[in-house]
């Protein structure tokens, strides 16, 4: 009986260890913090071209949020954007391209607000890897996994992107979020944006650490023509023009949207940053779980000491 118990107990020890080892890629963390986990969900969007509109979605049906730091002078950015298009395939995603803006004049698309969000969310992690907070190309998926530069972790960058997209968000939340846009009575005064994220709830059982949620509005121009860029792309897509951090889970904000570079293809995107405190225990078992099981195993193994 003891050998059988030993085998079973050994299996209990090895299962979580092999589960942990089955993670295919050791992704770079997009947000460097030893005491919290975080990421980004959302990506629901509305066009500004309509006088009034609304949208809502269950958390389980939200698109993958992909944030990219790029520039009109960046040759490698053209390559990585092509790899990303291949990786996306039929997946539902919301692409947001941050353009280099501070301390240079060769890219007309960025703004102070876009640079401030990038630096506050991802600047520290990018600096740890590349030595500076604003480096192109850098791609963030689900606000969690960072893809820096053009060196793949697997067979190719396309495979990296595809695997990262399929991994999905680890946000411990359920529920629904929504947004609506309406033109004010005096069109010269702009628009009113109403958001509702209070329906997003912490999916937690038993004793839980704290979770914070921060909504943002992103103004994204779907396509902008700029033939003077030195990377030869000319048509730039998913261009983030302004980002606004919102106050409260629900609310309404009246504002004048940023002007489009050309055309009439500006969209408003609602995203939600989440941050969860961690216990500081990185083991797939409780802190004392492995040692306890090993001791138990030793206790039930047959005693083979010579008499």
């Amino acid at each position: 009986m003891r050998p059988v118990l030993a085998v079973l107990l050994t299996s209990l020890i090895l299962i979580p260890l092999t589960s942990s080892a089955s993670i295919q890629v050791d992704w770079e963390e997009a947000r460097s913090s030893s005491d919290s986990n975080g990421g980004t969900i959302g990506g629901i969007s509305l066009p500004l071209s309509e006088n009034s509109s609304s949208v809502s979605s269950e958390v389980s049906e939200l698109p993958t949020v992909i944030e990219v730091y790029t520039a009109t002078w960046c040759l490698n950015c053209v390559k990585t954007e092509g790899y990303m298009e291949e990786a996306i395939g039929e997946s539902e995603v919301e692409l947001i391209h941050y353009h280099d803006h501070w301390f240079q004049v060769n890219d007309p698309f960025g703004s102070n607000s876009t640079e401030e969000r990038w630096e506050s969310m991802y600047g520290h992690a990018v600096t740890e890897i590349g030595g500076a907070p604003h480096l192109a190309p850098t791609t963030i998926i689900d606000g969690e996994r960072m893809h820096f530069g053009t060196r793949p972790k697997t067979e190719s960058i396309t495979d990296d992107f595809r695997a990262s997209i399929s991994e999905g968000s680890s946000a411990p939340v359920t529920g629904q979020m929504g947004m609506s846009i309406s033109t004010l009575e005096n069109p010269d005064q702009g628009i009113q944006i109403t958001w509702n994220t209070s329906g997003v709830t912490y999916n937690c059982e038993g004793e839980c650490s704290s979770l914070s949620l921060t909504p943002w509005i992103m103004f994204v121009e779907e396509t902008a023509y700029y033939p003077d860029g030195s990377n030869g792309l000319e048509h730039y897509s998913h261009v983030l023009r302004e980002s606004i951090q919102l106050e409260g889970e629900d609310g309404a904000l009246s504002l004048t949207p940023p002007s489009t570079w050309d055309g009439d293809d500006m969209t408003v995107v609602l995203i939600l940053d989440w941050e969860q405190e961690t216990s500081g225990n990185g083991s797939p078992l409780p802190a004392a779980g492995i040692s306890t099981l090993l001791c138990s195993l030793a206790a039930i193994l047959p005693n083979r000491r010579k008499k």
Side-chain angles (χ1 to χ4, degrees):
M1 184 63 181
R2 283 186 174 184
V4 174
L5 290 175
V7 171
L8 291 175
L9 195 50
T10 302
S11 300
L12 289 174
I13 295 173
L14 293 178
I15 286 173
L17 295 180
T18 54
S19 298
S20 177
S22 67
I23 299 175
Q24 296 181 355
V25 182
D26 184 17
W27 305 113
E28 303 292 350
E29 294 290 337
R31 303 182 185 187
S32 301
S33 177
S34 60
D35 57 359
S36 67
N37 293 323
T40 301
I41 61 172
I44 59 176
S45 62
L46 290 171
L48 278 182
S49 57
E50 300 180 11
N51 291 330
S52 63
S53 54
S54 63
V55 62
S56 63
S57 176
E58 295 289 335
V59 168
S60 60
E61 298 175 357
L62 291 170
T64 299
V65 177
I66 302 176
E67 299 170 89
V68 181
Y69 196 85
T70 186
T72 60
W73 48 260
C74 175
L75 292 171
N76 283 334
C77 295
V78 179
K79 295 179 182 179
T80 56
E81 287 176 26
Y83 300 144
M84 178 59 76
E85 288 180 4
E86 294 178 18
I88 289 172
E90 300 299 319
S91 301
E92 291 292 329
V93 306
E94 182 64 43
L95 278 163
I96 301 172
H97 286 183
Y98 296 69
H99 276 256
D100 190 13
H101 175 67
W102 284 344
F103 313 118
Q104 63 86 36
V105 294
N106 297 318
D107 193 321
F109 295 132
S111 68
N112 288 337
S113 69
T114 64
E115 292 278 61
E116 287 164 0
R117 172 176 161 79
W118 180 271
E119 183 163 308
S120 66
M121 293 293 106
Y122 311 119
H124 184 65
V126 179
T127 300
E128 286 186 348
I129 299 298
H134 308 85
L135 295 174
T138 302
T139 300
I140 309 293
I141 297 180
D142 291 319
E144 302 180 39
R145 298 173 294 282
M146 179 171 65
H147 301 257
F148 174 73
T150 58
R151 181 175 296 178
K153 285 182 171 289
T154 60
E155 293 297 321
S156 68
I157 297 177
T158 299
D159 289 342
D160 283 4
F161 288 155
R162 187 178 292 119
S164 188
I165 291 170
S166 66
E167 185 159 322
S169 170
S170 64
V173 295
T174 57
Q176 187 178 71
M177 58 188 296
M179 172 180 63
S180 64
I181 299 176
S182 59
T183 302
L184 296 175
E185 187 174 346
N186 182 353
D188 294 336
Q189 295 178 340
I191 61 172
Q192 183 178 73
I193 299 174
T194 303
W195 69 94
N196 183 346
T197 62
S198 61
V200 178
T201 58
Y202 199 176
N203 184 18
C204 174
E205 296 181 1
E207 185 178 351
C208 299
S209 57
S210 64
L211 181 77
S212 61
L213 301 173
T214 305
W216 291 75
I217 288 293
M218 321 289 273
F219 288 93
V220 179
E221 189 165 356
E222 290 305 302
T223 305
Y225 178 62
Y226 183 65
D228 296 330
S230 58
N231 62 7
L233 191 58
E234 295 192 352
H235 293 276
Y236 297 89
S237 59
H238 317 293
V239 180
L240 177 61
R241 304 304 303 277
E242 295 287 347
S243 60
I244 301 173
Q245 182 176 336
L246 302 173
E247 298 293 334
E249 296 178 337
D250 307 324
L253 179 67
S254 298
L255 52 78
T256 301
S259 301
T260 58
W261 179 260
D262 54 19
D264 188 20
D265 58 350
M266 187 80 77
T267 62
V268 181
V269 180
L270 175 64
I271 64 173
L272 190 62
D273 287 327
W274 62 273
E275 185 174 7
Q276 177 191 33
E277 291 183 0
T278 59
S279 62
N281 173 26
S283 169
L285 292 174
I290 293 177
S291 59
T292 301
L293 284 172
L294 288 174
C295 292
S296 301
L297 178 60
I300 65 173
L301 284 174
N303 187 345
R304 299 182 179 275
R305 186 169 48 190
K306 292 182 179 180
K307 296 181 179 179

